[in-house]
Amino acid sequence: MQIQKQPPRLSRYANIGRKKSPVRKVHRQPTGKFGKLVAWWQGLSRKQKVAVVGGPILAIMIIIPVVTYIMLANDIRDVERLMNRNNTGIVLKDRNGKTFYSIGRAEKRNIVKLDQISDHMKNALLASEDKDFYKHGGFNLFSIARAAVTRHGGGSTITQQLVKNTLLSDEHSLMRKYQEFFMSIAVEQNYSKDEILDMYLNSVYFGENAFGIEDAAKTYFNKTPKELTLAESAMLVGVLPAPSSYSPISGS
């Protein structure tokens, strides 16, 4: 009787230690115009790649403030045009030309001179909005960095706020902030600090359709700007961050 031998069983550990042959991945090269573009990009050195990417960005960053200044140069150099550039709204007058209803900034505002505004108002504004106003050149990098880190306050100087109120818009975008940054420098080059402070106080919105310190003093206290007390000035400055919400008359 012949006994057949069984084939030896392979141990489950027989392949341990053996190196598996690597599987080659086949990379298909793009073809056509895109393939040529990829090949061109791969052939560039690191410095050339930085120049290709950074060059257009740098050009745009230079062009934007230059074009913005060219468009706004005449308004920046003229106080009346600067103060009334963004005046929009509705004004209704009777047959005698007397205004009986207005909303927005449709009328030219009389500019109250700085010496006709209470010192309490000026000091309260500077303490709250821009304590380094008389030291910076239109912007404050420390305030911008602090606002970015703490997310408390906008970091904008009084000059930047003036530019936003009179020349640009309330749009929240990096483009508008970038334009605001350079236009504030241009305004500082054309006006003294007192003139900038005066224009700001005569253009900023205090709520209740009151644009400028003259309207605000009359609307809230039935006074002239010169008659404002410390408490009244503090209240008006406190309204500025959100006039519609913080107004003691109709605010929430």
Side-chain angles (χ1 to χ4, degrees), residues 77-162:
R77 289 193 289 262
D78 187 278
V79 174
E80 185 175 351
R81 293 181 63 167
L82 175 64
M83 293 295 292
N84 294 289
R85 188 178 190 278
N86 280 346
N87 281 6
T88 57
I90 299 174
V91 175
L92 300 179
K93 297 184 178 182
D94 59 22
R95 65 179 64 184
N96 298 318
K98 186 177 180 180
T99 300
F100 63 88
Y101 175 80
S102 68
I103 185 171
R105 294 188 293 182
E107 288 188 300
K108 290 185 177 181
R109 304 288 172 178
N110 294 323
I111 298 180
V112 181
K113 297 299 182 182
L114 199 60
D115 58 5
Q116 294 301 311
I117 300 174
S118 166
D119 288 338
H120 295 307
M121 183 64 202
K122 291 179 282 189
N123 293 333
L125 177 68
L126 293 175
S128 174
E129 296 295 311
D130 192 356
K131 64 180 181 179
D132 295 321
F133 174 69
Y134 283 97
K135 298 178 182 178
H136 61 66
F139 61 93
N140 190 324
L141 292 178
F142 177 76
S143 296
I144 295 173
R146 181 183 58 195
V149 172
T150 63
R151 296 185 179 181
H152 178 71
S156 295
T157 64
I158 284 177
T159 310
Q160 287 176 282
Q161 293 181 51
L162 173 66

Side-chain angles (χ1 to χ4, degrees), residues 186-222:
V187 169
E188 289 271 351
Q189 296 298 316
N190 283 272
Y191 300 100
S192 68
K193 287 291 187 178
D194 285 348
E195 288 174 327
I196 293 171
L197 182 61
D198 191 27
M199 287 189 288
Y200 176 84
L201 282 167
N202 279 278
S203 62
V204 68
Y205 183 54
F206 288 93
E208 303 302 328
N209 200 36
F211 289 89
I213 188 62
E214 185 176 37
D215 282 355
K218 183 177 180 180
T219 299
Y220 288 105
F221 306 110
N222 197 28

Side-chain angles (χ1 to χ4, degrees), residues 42-81:
Q42 291 175 342
L44 296 177
S45 66
R46 181 175 296 181
K47 290 183 178 180
Q48 289 173 326
K49 289 179 180 178
V50 171
V52 169
V53 175
I57 296 175
L58 181 61
I60 292 173
M61 292 179 68
I62 294 173
I63 290 172
I64 288 174
V66 171
V67 172
T68 304
Y69 180 78
I70 292 173
M71 292 174 60
L72 302 176
N74 291 332
D75 295 323
I76 290 175
R77 289 193 289 262
D78 187 278
V79 174
E80 185 175 351
R81 293 181 63 167

